[in-house]
Amino acid sequence: MIYMDYNATTPCDKRVVEEMTPFFSGRFGNPSSIYTLARDAYKAIEQARGRLAKLLDCNTNEIFFTSGGTEADNWALVSSAFGLRNKGKHIITSSIEHHAVLHTCQFLEKVGYEVLYLPVDKYGVVDVDVLKQSIRNDTILVSVMAANNEIGTIQPIREIADIVKSKGVYFHTDAVQVTGKTPFSVKEMGVDMASFSCHKLYGPKGVGALYVRKGVTLPPFLHGGGQERRKRAGTENVAGIVGLGKAAEIAVSEMAEEEAKIRALRDRLEQGVRENIPEIIVNGHPEQRLSNTLNFCVKAVEGEAMLLHLDLDGICASSGSACTSGSLEPSHVLIAIGIPEIMLHSSLRFSLGKHNTEGDVDRVLEALPNIVEKLRRMSPLWQ
Amino acid sequence: MDYTEKVYDHLKNPRNMGKIEDADGEGTVGSPVCGDVMKIYIKVKDNIIEDVKFETFGCGAAIATSSVLTELVKGKTIEDAEKITNKDVIAVLGGLPPVKMHCSVLAESGLKSAIADYKGKQDNDRKRQGG
């Protein structure tokens, strides 16, 4: 099997699993209890916090563990909106956010908030001028993702943060896709809040974190026990958090090397696709793009049909086609970057990771042109 | 989402795929904007559908339902072909995921559209012959 869907999820690194395993049965204590067994679990969580702080370049007391990126996004948005409701009810985000942000904003609209969805250019980069003009006295939060999951475009986060903060407004970024792929320092970027997920960086599913800069007031989202310094109730997912810590530690030491290797493989794939498949459009920014992501539209062929054939050849990839999402709507990201309607159902995404090889890339380049040719022969849209 | 083995079979080896250049009836349904377009060609002799072909731009379910439809239609009289519904197509495939049910409706309407085209041409021929 050739797995090229690392933006969807990644396999756990063996070293992560090894480090997590004792915490399921032997070292099972509740970190809130007082005895030695419990203090052991508490210390393990704090060690993980330290490791993640190193990856994100922040202080340990600015990290709050969550059940994943989605909870972190919901928390940042809903609690900011609630906490600042007396200051204003205006929120700004981008039109290409992950659904964890987009659908949360739509929920906030339903309960009386006004949300502006910033347009993006053809590469998926947020229009900074529109942002500048759109911040009002009653704007309480701006949320723009660091890198897009579908097309990989990286936003000018530092520039956006400077604009937003000069107006005295909080800035949140969904940093789920950049983490572990390329260095991302919350301090250097100047963000107030940032969401992270563990299963995108060779760790387990069901655990993530929200970075909240010291000095930012954010009410809790989950209420109950006093965990996470009374900010996030619920007995900690100790094993998951330990896994997150280990995954972060591995990322710190190996990310640079992996990134260079993965970028070379992705470029080889992109070049091969351009040379061997006529009439394609590559999506996303040519340079400011995640080093592992290749998204393109294939004229006159539907995305799911390509994925099923790839799967029959043992290749795992993804598509922004409506038919693969369970809804009937095509990708909002491809719509936002202005892909013609006729091509919206024809996208493919390959997202590479550290286990891919040149051989994998070559196998994909062997299989895909034949699949496209077969489906084009069948297609009434192909002349 | 889970497709049956039968869907994969038709996906791998689509039956009756292609064009009929001198078709007696042609029907195009769907829209590229919605993500599927299906074209059905029929060749009719003595009221029997002697040959049928399809071209489909669409997902796995759209391709499999087109392919099954052509198998069901071949050799049938126009009247019997008109009785074929999306339920018959789904039955052959052993079911479709709920979100994909609409694809099977496309196959049924593609066939209906091709038959309507055939009948229209017949009427025109008769009128012309009737002078």
Side-chain angles (χ1 to χ4, degrees):
Chain A
M1 185 193 72
I2 294 173
Y3 185 80
M4 287 200 186
D5 202 14
Y6 283 82
N7 285 7
T9 193
T10 61
C12 268
D13 189 296
K14 284 196 178 66
R15 292 165 287 181
V16 169
V17 178
E18 234 167 71
E19 192 129 339
M20 288 172 70
T21 307
F23 291 90
F24 287 104
S25 48
R27 300 169 69 179
F28 67 93
N30 185 328
S32 299
S33 302
I34 194 134
Y35 33 77
T36 309
L37 178 78
R39 287 205 306 275
D40 170 58
Y42 176 82
K43 278 182 204 149
I45 287 180
E46 293 316 307
Q47 184 192 33
R49 204 184 306 279
R51 286 167 163 178
L52 181 60
K54 215 165 176 187
L55 175 66
L56 306 180
D57 187 23
C58 65
N59 296 321
T60 52
N61 60 7
E62 294 173 310
I63 288 175
F64 300 88
F65 292 117
T66 67
S67 63
T70 294
E71 184 195 321
D73 284 340
N74 273 262
W75 180 9
L77 270 69
V78 174
S79 289
S80 293
F82 175 77
L84 298 167
R85 67 193 183 286
N86 292 327
K87 187 198 170 208
K89 292 201 161 181
H90 185 240
I91 294 166
I92 299 173
T93 186
S94 87
S95 48
I96 62 164
E97 295 298 307
H98 188 274
H99 286 134
V101 167
L102 226 43
H103 288 172
T104 304
C105 283
Q106 286 163 11
F107 163 75
L108 289 170
E109 283 181 294
K110 274 189 212 149
V111 297
Y113 289 82
E114 189 188 334
V115 181
L116 173 77
Y117 300 90
L118 293 171
V120 295
D121 66 13
K122 64 175 177 175
Y123 298 129
V125 179
V126 161
D127 193 323
V128 177
D129 291 328
V130 176
L131 170 66
K132 266 184 211 161
Q133 293 152 16
S134 306
I135 299 173
R136 314 189 311 213
N137 286 335
D138 63 339
T139 303
I140 50 174
L141 179 72
V142 175
S143 177
V144 175
M145 73 197 323
N148 183 266
N149 47 311
E150 286 188 41
I151 58 175
T153 296
I154 297 171
Q155 301 297 337
I157 291 299
R158 178 66 208 260
E159 191 186 346
I160 295 172
D162 285 348
I163 294 167
V164 175
K165 293 178 75 182
S166 71
K167 308 264 185 174
V169 175
Y170 281 161
F171 179 53
H172 165 256
T173 186
D174 176 336
V176 164
Q177 288 293 343
V178 284
T179 322
K181 292 192 181 106
T182 194
F184 184 84
S185 154
V186 288
K187 212 171 267 170
E188 247 171 62
M189 292 295 151
V191 301
D192 294 312
M193 289 168 270
S195 303
F196 302 95
S197 168
C198 181
H199 73 104
K200 312 283 191 192
L201 62 143
Y202 308 95
K205 295 164 184 65
V207 60
L210 182 67
Y211 157 79
V212 183
R213 186 179 55 76
K214 196 169 187 292
V216 170
T217 314
L218 185 72
F221 183 57
L222 294 184
H223 305 272
Q227 292 88 355
E228 295 296 280
R229 304 180 303 290
R230 301 193 172 278
K231 287 287 191 188
R232 198 279 188 180
T235 299
E236 299 88 342
N237 172 4
V238 180
I241 291 168
V242 166
L244 173 49
K246 186 64 185 177
E249 187 192 60
I250 294 171
V252 167
S253 64
E254 298 178 4
M255 183 165 50
E257 200 181 318
E258 297 291 359
E259 188 185 9
K261 191 196 103 183
I262 292 167
R263 180 187 298 278
L265 292 177
R266 191 277 313 269
D267 290 349
R268 182 187 179 95
L269 180 64
E270 179 168 339
Q271 197 191 340
V273 165
R274 284 181 190 276
E275 282 168 6
N276 295 299
I277 305 175
E279 305 246 22
I280 62 156
I281 308 175
V282 175
N283 301 314
H285 197 282
E287 286 98 35
Q288 291 305 310
R289 177 159 45 121
L290 291 173
S291 53
N292 77 324
T293 305
L294 174 64
N295 183 308
F296 54 97
C297 292
V298 183
K299 194 181 173 189
V301 186
E302 199 275 336
E304 191 209 77
M306 288 189 276
L307 290 186
L308 292 169
H309 277 96
L310 284 168
D311 184 32
L312 289 169
D313 285 338
I315 298 164
C316 310
S318 168
S319 168
S321 150
C323 275
T324 61
S325 64
S327 81
L328 295 176
E329 294 303 315
S331 153
H332 64 285
V333 178
L334 298 183
I335 293 173
I337 62 172
I339 295 297
E341 276 188 322
I342 198 162
M343 300 279 264
L344 284 176
H345 296 272
S346 301
S347 73
L348 269 188
R349 179 189 74 185
F350 290 93
S351 47
L352 284 69
K354 66 179 178 185
H355 300 299
N356 287 130
T357 63
E358 273 191 14
D360 290 351
V361 170
D362 295 344
R363 281 256 326 264
V364 172
L365 289 173
E366 256 171 57
L368 187 60
N370 294 331
I371 291 169
V372 170
E373 211 192 304
K374 176 180 176 178
L375 291 169
R376 277 178 171 168
R377 273 204 306 276
M378 190 186 295
S379 171
L381 305 180
W382 183 250
Q383 300 308 324
Chain B
M1 199 175 63
D2 202 12
Y3 283 132
T4 61
E5 281 305 312
K6 202 88 191 187
V7 172
Y8 281 102
D9 174 36
H10 281 269
L11 198 63
K12 269 187 280 188
N13 306 300
R15 331 287 202 259
N16 306 305
M17 190 257 286
K19 272 189 199 10
I20 300 179
E21 294 295 347
D22 57 342
D24 297 314
E26 257 181 60
T28 306
V29 289
S31 138
V33 177
C34 302
D36 33 27
V37 179
M38 194 179 287
K39 205 162 177 180
I40 304 282
Y41 302 84
I42 52 171
K43 189 86 191 147
V44 185
K45 199 179 173 191
D46 301 332
N47 199 43
I48 285 171
I49 299 178
E50 272 203 320
D51 198 10
V52 51
K53 288 217 151 56
F54 81 90
E55 290 181 306
T56 293
F57 161 82
C59 63
I63 292 169
T65 51
S66 327
S67 171
V68 165
L69 179 86
T70 60
E71 280 195 318
L72 289 177
V73 164
K74 214 172 198 171
K76 287 224 165 54
T77 62
I78 292 289
E79 291 72 29
D80 285 346
E82 279 178 318
K83 287 180 199 144
I84 294 169
T85 69
N86 67 318
K87 291 202 181 71
D88 302 317
V89 174
I90 293 169
V92 174
L93 289 172
L96 277 178
V99 292
K100 297 292 185 180
M101 287 300 181
H102 68 282
C103 298
S104 62
V105 179
L106 202 67
E108 182 187 325
S109 39
L111 174 64
K112 296 229 152 88
S113 165
I115 292 176
D117 181 50
Y118 163 71
K119 285 183 169 171
K121 282 178 182 159
Q122 292 288 99
D123 286 348
N124 285 343
D125 286 353
R126 238 172 272 140
K127 273 178 209 156
R128 231 175 286 136
Q129 282 159 9

mmCIF file of all heavy atoms in Angstrom, chain B residues 24-61:
data_model
loop_
_atom_site.group_PDB
_atom_site.id
_atom_site.type_symbol
_atom_site.label_atom_id
_atom_site.label_comp_id
_atom_site.label_asym_id
_atom_site.label_seq_id
_atom_site.Cartn_x
_atom_site.Cartn_y
_atom_site.Cartn_z
ATOM 1 N N ASP B 24 -29.776 5.369 -32.631
ATOM 2 C CA ASP B 24 -31.166 5.731 -32.945
ATOM 3 C C ASP B 24 -31.748 6.644 -31.862
ATOM 4 O O ASP B 24 -32.743 7.325 -32.085
ATOM 5 C CB ASP B 24 -32.013 4.468 -33.078
ATOM 6 C CG ASP B 24 -31.531 3.593 -34.232
ATOM 7 O OD1 ASP B 24 -31.281 4.142 -35.322
ATOM 8 O OD2 ASP B 24 -31.374 2.370 -34.026
ATOM 9 N N GLY B 25 -31.159 6.586 -30.702
ATOM 10 C CA GLY B 25 -31.606 7.467 -29.627
ATOM 11 C C GLY B 25 -30.432 7.814 -28.720
ATOM 12 O O GLY B 25 -29.541 6.996 -28.499
ATOM 13 N N GLU B 26 -30.403 9.063 -28.212
ATOM 14 C CA GLU B 26 -29.319 9.530 -27.350
ATOM 15 C C GLU B 26 -29.913 10.339 -26.221
ATOM 16 O O GLU B 26 -30.811 11.137 -26.463
ATOM 17 C CB GLU B 26 -28.437 10.506 -28.140
ATOM 18 C CG GLU B 26 -27.138 9.953 -28.643
ATOM 19 C CD GLU B 26 -26.352 11.033 -29.388
ATOM 20 O OE1 GLU B 26 -26.032 12.068 -28.759
ATOM 21 O OE2 GLU B 26 -26.113 10.822 -30.576
ATOM 22 N N GLY B 27 -29.428 10.139 -25.027
ATOM 23 C CA GLY B 27 -29.924 10.959 -23.916
ATOM 24 C C GLY B 27 -28.773 11.416 -23.046
ATOM 25 O O GLY B 27 -27.915 10.609 -22.673
ATOM 26 N N THR B 28 -28.710 12.718 -22.747
ATOM 27 C CA THR B 28 -27.688 13.240 -21.834
ATOM 28 C C THR B 28 -28.392 13.822 -20.618
ATOM 29 O O THR B 28 -29.282 14.658 -20.760
ATOM 30 C CB THR B 28 -26.847 14.335 -22.513
ATOM 31 O OG1 THR B 28 -26.329 13.804 -23.741
ATOM 32 C CG2 THR B 28 -25.688 14.770 -21.634
ATOM 33 N N VAL B 29 -27.978 13.382 -19.439
ATOM 34 C CA VAL B 29 -28.569 13.918 -18.201
ATOM 35 C C VAL B 29 -27.466 14.302 -17.226
ATOM 36 O O VAL B 29 -26.324 13.871 -17.376
ATOM 37 C CB VAL B 29 -29.526 12.899 -17.536
ATOM 38 C CG1 VAL B 29 -30.810 12.740 -18.341
ATOM 39 C CG2 VAL B 29 -28.847 11.555 -17.339
ATOM 40 N N GLY B 30 -27.832 15.110 -16.238
ATOM 41 C CA GLY B 30 -26.862 15.562 -15.237
ATOM 42 C C GLY B 30 -26.171 16.829 -15.694
ATOM 43 O O GLY B 30 -26.498 17.391 -16.737
ATOM 44 N N SER B 31 -25.187 17.262 -14.891
ATOM 45 C CA SER B 31 -24.466 18.492 -15.214
ATOM 46 C C SER B 31 -23.096 18.428 -14.568
ATOM 47 O O SER B 31 -22.960 17.945 -13.440
ATOM 48 C CB SER B 31 -25.274 19.678 -14.683
ATOM 49 O OG SER B 31 -24.417 20.601 -14.090
ATOM 50 N N PRO B 32 -22.079 18.905 -15.292
ATOM 51 C CA PRO B 32 -20.731 18.855 -14.715
ATOM 52 C C PRO B 32 -20.639 19.661 -13.419
ATOM 53 O O PRO B 32 -19.838 19.353 -12.546
ATOM 54 C CB PRO B 32 -19.850 19.460 -15.810
ATOM 55 C CG PRO B 32 -20.747 20.119 -16.784
ATOM 56 C CD PRO B 32 -22.080 19.464 -16.656
ATOM 57 N N VAL B 33 -21.483 20.676 -13.292
ATOM 58 C CA VAL B 33 -21.479 21.514 -12.089
ATOM 59 C C VAL B 33 -21.921 20.698 -10.872
ATOM 60 O O VAL B 33 -21.463 20.897 -9.759
ATOM 61 C CB VAL B 33 -22.374 22.752 -12.300
ATOM 62 C CG1 VAL B 33 -22.453 23.584 -11.048
ATOM 63 C CG2 VAL B 33 -21.843 23.583 -13.454
ATOM 64 N N CYS B 34 -22.840 19.740 -11.112
ATOM 65 C CA CYS B 34 -23.318 18.890 -10.017
ATOM 66 C C CYS B 34 -22.406 17.687 -9.799
ATOM 67 O O CYS B 34 -22.581 16.934 -8.850
ATOM 68 C CB CYS B 34 -24.722 18.375 -10.295
ATOM 69 S SG CYS B 34 -25.898 19.685 -10.546
ATOM 70 N N GLY B 35 -21.463 17.463 -10.717
ATOM 71 C CA GLY B 35 -20.518 16.371 -10.506
ATOM 72 C C GLY B 35 -20.818 15.095 -11.257
ATOM 73 O O GLY B 35 -20.055 14.145 -11.165
ATOM 74 N N ASP B 36 -21.932 15.018 -11.988
ATOM 75 C CA ASP B 36 -22.086 13.867 -12.871
ATOM 76 C C ASP B 36 -22.884 14.147 -14.138
ATOM 77 O O ASP B 36 -23.881 14.846 -14.120
ATOM 78 C CB ASP B 36 -22.608 12.604 -12.163
ATOM 79 C CG ASP B 36 -23.561 12.904 -11.039
ATOM 80 O OD1 ASP B 36 -24.203 13.947 -11.095
ATOM 81 O OD2 ASP B 36 -23.672 12.070 -10.112
ATOM 82 N N VAL B 37 -22.362 13.602 -15.232
ATOM 83 C CA VAL B 37 -23.005 13.711 -16.540
ATOM 84 C C VAL B 37 -23.030 12.307 -17.131
ATOM 85 O O VAL B 37 -22.018 11.614 -17.118
ATOM 86 C CB VAL B 37 -22.208 14.624 -17.496
ATOM 87 C CG1 VAL B 37 -22.900 14.690 -18.863
ATOM 88 C CG2 VAL B 37 -22.041 16.014 -16.923
ATOM 89 N N MET B 38 -24.205 11.908 -17.611
ATOM 90 C CA MET B 38 -24.334 10.580 -18.167
ATOM 91 C C MET B 38 -24.943 10.678 -19.551
ATOM 92 O O MET B 38 -25.909 11.423 -19.767
ATOM 93 C CB MET B 38 -25.244 9.772 -17.260
ATOM 94 C CG MET B 38 -25.211 8.278 -17.508
ATOM 95 S SD MET B 38 -26.312 7.482 -16.337
ATOM 96 C CE MET B 38 -25.394 7.635 -14.818
ATOM 97 N N LYS B 39 -24.350 9.924 -20.485
ATOM 98 C CA LYS B 39 -24.860 9.923 -21.851
ATOM 99 C C LYS B 39 -25.166 8.477 -22.224
ATOM 100 O O LYS B 39 -24.305 7.606 -22.080
ATOM 101 C CB LYS B 39 -23.779 10.510 -22.775
ATOM 102 C CG LYS B 39 -24.327 11.102 -24.035
ATOM 103 C CD LYS B 39 -23.324 12.033 -24.692
ATOM 104 C CE LYS B 39 -23.900 12.555 -26.001
ATOM 105 N NZ LYS B 39 -22.999 13.463 -26.691
ATOM 106 N N ILE B 40 -26.408 8.223 -22.660
ATOM 107 C CA ILE B 40 -26.813 6.871 -23.046
ATOM 108 C C ILE B 40 -27.148 6.857 -24.538
ATOM 109 O O ILE B 40 -27.878 7.741 -25.016
ATOM 110 C CB ILE B 40 -28.064 6.408 -22.243
ATOM 111 C CG1 ILE B 40 -27.817 6.495 -20.731
ATOM 112 C CG2 ILE B 40 -28.503 5.006 -22.663
ATOM 113 C CD1 ILE B 40 -27.000 5.397 -20.122
ATOM 114 N N TYR B 41 -26.577 5.878 -25.258
ATOM 115 C CA TYR B 41 -26.856 5.711 -26.688
ATOM 116 C C TYR B 41 -27.610 4.399 -26.877
ATOM 117 O O TYR B 41 -27.218 3.380 -26.286
ATOM 118 C CB TYR B 41 -25.558 5.589 -27.483
ATOM 119 C CG TYR B 41 -24.587 6.735 -27.354
ATOM 120 C CD1 TYR B 41 -23.684 6.794 -26.291
ATOM 121 C CD2 TYR B 41 -24.525 7.734 -28.325
ATOM 122 C CE1 TYR B 41 -22.762 7.826 -26.187
ATOM 123 C CE2 TYR B 41 -23.598 8.768 -28.232
ATOM 124 C CZ TYR B 41 -22.722 8.813 -27.163
ATOM 125 O OH TYR B 41 -21.806 9.818 -27.072
ATOM 126 N N ILE B 42 -28.669 4.402 -27.696
ATOM 127 C CA ILE B 42 -29.319 3.123 -28.012
ATOM 128 C C ILE B 42 -29.446 2.927 -29.522
ATOM 129 O O ILE B 42 -29.605 3.882 -30.286
ATOM 130 C CB ILE B 42 -30.731 2.977 -27.355
ATOM 131 C CG1 ILE B 42 -31.631 4.181 -27.665
ATOM 132 C CG2 ILE B 42 -30.624 2.767 -25.865
ATOM 133 C CD1 ILE B 42 -33.088 3.992 -27.226
ATOM 134 N N LYS B 43 -29.355 1.651 -29.912
ATOM 135 C CA LYS B 43 -29.526 1.245 -31.311
ATOM 136 C C LYS B 43 -30.729 0.300 -31.295
ATOM 137 O O LYS B 43 -30.733 -0.704 -30.574
ATOM 138 C CB LYS B 43 -28.238 0.522 -31.746
ATOM 139 C CG LYS B 43 -28.170 0.221 -33.205
ATOM 140 C CD LYS B 43 -27.610 1.399 -33.993
ATOM 141 C CE LYS B 43 -27.816 1.155 -35.478
ATOM 142 N NZ LYS B 43 -28.051 2.395 -36.228
ATOM 143 N N VAL B 44 -31.766 0.645 -32.048
ATOM 144 C CA VAL B 44 -33.021 -0.117 -31.973
ATOM 145 C C VAL B 44 -33.323 -0.764 -33.314
ATOM 146 O O VAL B 44 -33.188 -0.140 -34.369
ATOM 147 C CB VAL B 44 -34.190 0.821 -31.570
ATOM 148 C CG1 VAL B 44 -35.484 0.021 -31.379
ATOM 149 C CG2 VAL B 44 -33.848 1.585 -30.302
ATOM 150 N N LYS B 45 -33.731 -2.060 -33.242
ATOM 151 C CA LYS B 45 -34.183 -2.732 -34.473
ATOM 152 C C LYS B 45 -35.427 -3.529 -34.132
ATOM 153 O O LYS B 45 -35.439 -4.295 -33.167
ATOM 154 C CB LYS B 45 -33.081 -3.650 -35.007
ATOM 155 C CG LYS B 45 -33.314 -3.999 -36.478
ATOM 156 C CD LYS B 45 -32.213 -4.884 -37.015
ATOM 157 C CE LYS B 45 -32.575 -5.342 -38.420
ATOM 158 N NZ LYS B 45 -31.667 -6.402 -38.867
ATOM 159 N N ASP B 46 -36.477 -3.356 -34.936
ATOM 160 C CA ASP B 46 -37.756 -4.040 -34.707
ATOM 161 C C ASP B 46 -38.211 -3.889 -33.262
ATOM 162 O O ASP B 46 -38.593 -4.869 -32.599
ATOM 163 C CB ASP B 46 -37.642 -5.528 -35.064
ATOM 164 C CG ASP B 46 -37.251 -5.720 -36.515
ATOM 165 O OD1 ASP B 46 -37.586 -4.834 -37.338
ATOM 166 O OD2 ASP B 46 -36.571 -6.718 -36.824
ATOM 167 N N ASN B 47 -38.149 -2.684 -32.778
ATOM 168 C CA ASN B 47 -38.607 -2.353 -31.425
ATOM 169 C C ASN B 47 -37.754 -2.967 -30.299
ATOM 170 O O ASN B 47 -38.107 -2.903 -29.127
ATOM 171 C CB ASN B 47 -40.086 -2.765 -31.254
ATOM 172 C CG ASN B 47 -40.726 -2.038 -30.079
ATOM 173 O OD1 ASN B 47 -40.513 -0.844 -29.901
ATOM 174 N ND2 ASN B 47 -41.471 -2.761 -29.252
ATOM 175 N N ILE B 48 -36.626 -3.577 -30.674
ATOM 176 C CA ILE B 48 -35.762 -4.183 -29.646
ATOM 177 C C ILE B 48 -34.451 -3.401 -29.555
ATOM 178 O O ILE B 48 -33.873 -3.033 -30.583
ATOM 179 C CB ILE B 48 -35.502 -5.669 -29.964
ATOM 180 C CG1 ILE B 48 -36.777 -6.463 -29.640
ATOM 181 C CG2 ILE B 48 -34.321 -6.220 -29.161
ATOM 182 C CD1 ILE B 48 -36.762 -7.887 -30.091
ATOM 183 N N ILE B 49 -34.020 -3.138 -28.307
ATOM 184 C CA ILE B 49 -32.757 -2.402 -28.113
ATOM 185 C C ILE B 49 -31.616 -3.385 -28.366
ATOM 186 O O ILE B 49 -31.283 -4.222 -27.525
ATOM 187 C CB ILE B 49 -32.669 -1.778 -26.712
ATOM 188 C CG1 ILE B 49 -33.831 -0.785 -26.539
ATOM 189 C CG2 ILE B 49 -31.316 -1.088 -26.511
ATOM 190 C CD1 ILE B 49 -33.899 -0.116 -25.187
ATOM 191 N N GLU B 50 -31.041 -3.277 -29.559
ATOM 192 C CA GLU B 50 -30.010 -4.231 -29.979
ATOM 193 C C GLU B 50 -28.660 -3.893 -29.381
ATOM 194 O O GLU B 50 -27.873 -4.768 -29.066
ATOM 195 C CB GLU B 50 -29.889 -4.168 -31.503
ATOM 196 C CG GLU B 50 -30.839 -5.094 -32.207
ATOM 197 C CD GLU B 50 -30.296 -5.414 -33.590
ATOM 198 O OE1 GLU B 50 -29.757 -4.491 -34.224
ATOM 199 O OE2 GLU B 50 -30.421 -6.568 -34.004
ATOM 200 N N ASP B 51 -28.410 -2.608 -29.252
ATOM 201 C CA ASP B 51 -27.122 -2.207 -28.687
ATOM 202 C C ASP B 51 -27.323 -0.967 -27.822
ATOM 203 O O ASP B 51 -28.228 -0.160 -28.063
ATOM 204 C CB ASP B 51 -26.104 -1.908 -29.807
ATOM 205 C CG ASP B 51 -24.671 -1.923 -29.276
ATOM 206 O OD1 ASP B 51 -24.473 -2.347 -28.113
ATOM 207 O OD2 ASP B 51 -23.764 -1.493 -30.010
ATOM 208 N N VAL B 52 -26.492 -0.858 -26.801
ATOM 209 C CA VAL B 52 -26.587 0.279 -25.898
ATOM 210 C C VAL B 52 -25.182 0.577 -25.379
ATOM 211 O O VAL B 52 -24.400 -0.340 -25.131
ATOM 212 C CB VAL B 52 -27.585 -0.015 -24.738
ATOM 213 C CG1 VAL B 52 -27.273 -1.345 -24.072
ATOM 214 C CG2 VAL B 52 -27.595 1.101 -23.702
ATOM 215 N N LYS B 53 -24.871 1.856 -25.289
ATOM 216 C CA LYS B 53 -23.556 2.236 -24.760
ATOM 217 C C LYS B 53 -23.705 3.450 -23.835
ATOM 218 O O LYS B 53 -24.688 4.196 -23.933
ATOM 219 C CB LYS B 53 -22.590 2.559 -25.906
ATOM 220 C CG LYS B 53 -22.132 1.323 -26.683
ATOM 221 C CD LYS B 53 -20.675 1.474 -27.090
ATOM 222 C CE LYS B 53 -19.905 0.185 -27.214
ATOM 223 N NZ LYS B 53 -20.422 -0.829 -28.090
ATOM 224 N N PHE B 54 -22.728 3.612 -22.960
ATOM 225 C CA PHE B 54 -22.785 4.781 -22.075
ATOM 226 C C PHE B 54 -21.448 5.503 -22.025
ATOM 227 O O PHE B 54 -20.395 4.901 -22.242
ATOM 228 C CB PHE B 54 -23.195 4.371 -20.651
ATOM 229 C CG PHE B 54 -22.054 3.822 -19.827
ATOM 230 C CD1 PHE B 54 -21.256 4.669 -19.047
ATOM 231 C CD2 PHE B 54 -21.762 2.464 -19.827
ATOM 232 C CE1 PHE B 54 -20.195 4.167 -18.292
ATOM 233 C CE2 PHE B 54 -20.709 1.962 -19.070
ATOM 234 C CZ PHE B 54 -19.925 2.806 -18.309
ATOM 235 N N GLU B 55 -21.538 6.810 -21.748
ATOM 236 C CA GLU B 55 -20.358 7.604 -21.373
ATOM 237 C C GLU B 55 -20.737 8.327 -20.088
ATOM 238 O O GLU B 55 -21.790 8.952 -20.024
ATOM 239 C CB GLU B 55 -20.024 8.636 -22.449
ATOM 240 C CG GLU B 55 -19.495 8.040 -23.732
ATOM 241 C CD GLU B 55 -19.163 9.130 -24.747
ATOM 242 O OE1 GLU B 55 -20.041 9.952 -25.043
ATOM 243 O OE2 GLU B 55 -18.021 9.152 -25.211
ATOM 244 N N THR B 56 -19.874 8.246 -19.090
ATOM 245 C CA THR B 56 -20.204 8.886 -17.810
ATOM 246 C C THR B 56 -19.014 9.637 -17.241
ATOM 247 O O THR B 56 -17.902 9.120 -17.195
ATOM 248 C CB THR B 56 -20.695 7.829 -16.791
ATOM 249 O OG1 THR B 56 -21.948 7.324 -17.242
ATOM 250 C CG2 THR B 56 -20.879 8.431 -15.404
ATOM 251 N N PHE B 57 -19.290 10.881 -16.830
ATOM 252 C CA PHE B 57 -18.374 11.648 -15.989
ATOM 253 C C PHE B 57 -19.028 11.622 -14.624
ATOM 254 O O PHE B 57 -20.140 12.119 -14.460
ATOM 255 C CB PHE B 57 -18.271 13.086 -16.509
ATOM 256 C CG PHE B 57 -17.727 14.068 -15.489
ATOM 257 C CD1 PHE B 57 -16.362 14.197 -15.285
ATOM 258 C CD2 PHE B 57 -18.586 14.859 -14.743
ATOM 259 C CE1 PHE B 57 -15.870 15.101 -14.350
ATOM 260 C CE2 PHE B 57 -18.093 15.769 -13.803
ATOM 261 C CZ PHE B 57 -16.732 15.891 -13.616
ATOM 262 N N GLY B 58 -18.387 10.975 -13.660
ATOM 263 C CA GLY B 58 -19.012 10.942 -12.346
ATOM 264 C C GLY B 58 -18.289 10.008 -11.411
ATOM 265 O O GLY B 58 -17.268 9.410 -11.759
ATOM 266 N N CYS B 59 -18.853 9.860 -10.210
ATOM 267 C CA CYS B 59 -18.225 9.074 -9.160
ATOM 268 C C CYS B 59 -18.390 7.584 -9.436
ATOM 269 O O CYS B 59 -18.998 7.184 -10.431
ATOM 270 C CB CYS B 59 -18.843 9.444 -7.818
ATOM 271 S SG CYS B 59 -20.591 9.041 -7.729
ATOM 272 N N GLY B 60 -17.897 6.768 -8.528
ATOM 273 C CA GLY B 60 -17.977 5.317 -8.675
ATOM 274 C C GLY B 60 -19.401 4.837 -8.860
ATOM 275 O O GLY B 60 -19.680 3.979 -9.710
ATOM 276 N N ALA B 61 -20.317 5.384 -8.084
ATOM 277 C CA ALA B 61 -21.711 4.954 -8.166
ATOM 278 C C ALA B 61 -22.306 5.330 -9.517
ATOM 279 O O ALA B 61 -23.065 4.556 -10.110
ATOM 280 C CB ALA B 61 -22.522 5.597 -7.041
#
